[in-house]
Amino acid sequence: MTILLIRHGKTRANEQHLYCGSTDLPLSESGRQELTWVHPSAPESCRYLSSGMRRANETLELLFPGVAYDTVPGLREVDFGKFELGSYEQLKEDPDYIAWITGDNMANTPPGGESGSDMTARVLSAFGEIAAEGRNAVIVTHGGVIAAIMASLFPQENKNRYQWQSANGGGYRLEFRDGTWIYSNV
């Protein structure tokens, strides 16, 4: 079984270094143009899946034109709540933000949002259901989602979720062989 994890193309929020999880933004024009250089090869007889967010759907449609795909809401990005579409510079004086980033933000929940731990549990449940099908798949999703999956599958790498973040349009090819996951970059 082979599963491709692909991060959506760039959005305005990516370009402006804004927290963007639950906000349903489209790809930016430069994000669309950059995807013309991305040519991932899909495994044979695969299922195509998207988080259902506009930026993921648009990426999937650009990279794999004309394919039918399903949406899996469990593969959506973390909800940053009050911090959605804010930048570090805009938020750095906010006491709620300071408490969130200086504490354990896997456990801490941004006001009105979702903790990293809750997002990870949601994502791993959705990914587990997909993997249990035993079918090849292409999943177009988000950086935090991909990082959560990779950190869970490869704890021996001792990478944190930020180190697993791939570039927009990038990602990982996972292969399940002899009861073990292996990976390579897409």
Side-chain angles (χ1 to χ4, degrees):
M1 171 178 50
T2 299
I3 297 177
L4 264 60
L5 298 173
I6 300 173
R7 185 177 180 193
H8 64 79
K10 281 185 186 170
T11 65
R12 174 184 61 84
N14 296 125
E15 293 166 352
Q16 295 176 0
H17 307 288
L18 306 177
Y19 289 100
C20 181
S22 62
T23 305
D24 202 13
L25 295 179
L27 296 176
S28 66
E29 187 53 40
S30 63
R32 290 174 141 332
Q33 290 174 1
E34 287 175 3
L35 288 174
T36 63
W37 298 101
V38 177
H39 302 288
S41 115
E44 287 186 28
S45 303
C46 71
R47 182 176 179 205
Y48 292 88
L49 304 164
S50 166
S51 71
M53 301 292 289
R54 186 171 174 191
R55 56 197 181 264
N57 292 349
E58 289 178 1
T59 299
L60 194 149
E61 292 164 5
L62 286 168
L63 295 179
F64 304 99
V67 302
Y69 61 91
D70 296 310
T71 60
V72 181
L75 296 174
R76 289 178 177 229
E77 185 59 279
V78 68
D79 181 348
F80 292 107
K82 172 181 173 180
F83 309 135
E84 277 287 320
L85 297 183
S87 69
Y88 171 79
E89 285 302 315
Q90 294 166 330
L91 298 167
K92 68 183 179 183
E93 304 294 326
D94 182 324
D96 291 334
Y97 179 72
I98 293 167
W100 179 64
I101 65 167
T102 57
D104 178 356
N105 66 5
M106 281 298 287
N108 293 348
T109 303
E114 177 181 34
S115 73
S117 296
D118 288 344
M119 182 275 287
T120 298
R122 170 176 50 79
V123 165
L124 295 180
S125 175
F127 181 77
E129 290 177 21
I130 294 164
E133 293 177 4
R135 293 179 56 191
N136 292 338
V138 170
I139 299 172
V140 180
T141 188
H142 310 271
V145 170
I146 293 170
I149 293 168
M150 296 301 290
S152 173
L153 293 179
F154 303 101
Q156 70 278 10
E157 300 262 341
N158 292 317
K159 292 182 181 180
N160 65 44
R161 62 184 175 172
Y162 302 105
Q163 293 169 309
W164 283 114
Q165 288 258 348
S166 56
N168 293 96
Y172 298 96
R173 175 180 297 272
L174 300 173
E175 295 184 46
F176 194 68
R177 293 188 196 156
D178 301 322
T180 303
W181 287 102
I182 60 169
Y183 74 92
S184 58
N185 293 321
V186 170

